[in-house]
Amino acid sequence: MTQPPSFAVIPGDQVADALGGRERQVIETVEAAYRRHGEGATVNPDSYFLRFPDRPSARIIALPASLGEVHGIKWIASFPENVADGLPRASAVLVLNDAETGYPFACLESSIISAARTAGSAALAATRLADARGAARPRRAGFVGAGLIARYVHTYLRAAGFAFDEVAVHDLSPVHAAGFRGYLDRAGESAVTVHDRAEDLIRSCDLVVFATVAGEPHVADPAWFAHAPLVLHISLRDLSPEIILSAWNVVDDVDHCLKAGTSPHLTEQRVGHRGFVAGTLYDVLTGALVPPADRPVIFSPFGLGVLDLAVALQVYEHVAAAGRLHTVPNFFHELDRYG
């Protein structure tokens, strides 16, 4: 009789150890997953949102996916009110399933995996879009939203070779802005400015990162982007349709991104078509799309489950190779059909 695989639990400290200092490898893993997805070699169904009538800001999302050699699902909660209580907004687990039997063989703490794949995607997009524009890489970076994702994105941008003369920060919370500034100081950024207004940050930066928990657009004036910055619209719901329509837009997956009230989705509802989307990051990676230098370029990634799966598999293989897997004996118990 075929035996089920052993079942391992990989906690956050092991995930952090497997990914820490390996940002370039994560970016390469993310790029490979994007290429496979663009070539039709993955299965990535719609994400499924669990929402709560009494807590409209909170949600838990299921992201199922398959890379062929492994299947899996990420189950990630976003409860913004946690932050006021000193608890991170997001928590997540990810389950890996054996491709032959379907049996799950690992459960990994996944808030770190999610942050790493998000930052890896952002760094990859920033690198390829900036280089394809034919100009010097951005030297003035601005972060709207000063949480964990912003920290990860900055770390990954630095690992990807970006060097900044100035870094700007804006957050609705002065405490969070000050905390992020402290991180930037420790990371070696020599010129950091905290802005009270998002407009001042955007107008002063040639690379703008949105990493907020905004549920609807709060930036509405296209004139703020007249200097044609590169925008990493990680949080997806910050920009008005007017800004989207004034820019050159690229997404990770058109069908995934134009739903769930994202800024591109609201724009589609406004104009009744998707012609404002130039294409996908895969198109940029393959040279099928070249971003302009004289318009704002906005990357809006919905976040694909195949990216989580690819990074989780990287973590699993690292921990397994080190002989540090925590397996759960007899996790699968009822294996005899007739008892």
Side-chain angles (χ1 to χ4, degrees), residues 4 49 56 59 65 94 101 107-108 120 127 137 182 251 313 316 328 331:
F49 287 70
R59 63 184 186 269
L94 187 147
T101 66
C107 178
L108 301 88
T127 300
R137 285 191 178 182
V251 300
L313 187 59
Y316 177 86
V328 181
F331 186 83

Side-chain angles (χ1 to χ4, degrees), residues 4-9 103-107 327-335:
S6 61
F7 185 79
V9 176
Y103 271 75
F105 63 87
C107 178
T327 58
V328 181
N330 303 315
F331 186 83
F332 302 107
H333 173 67
E334 195 66 77
L335 300 176

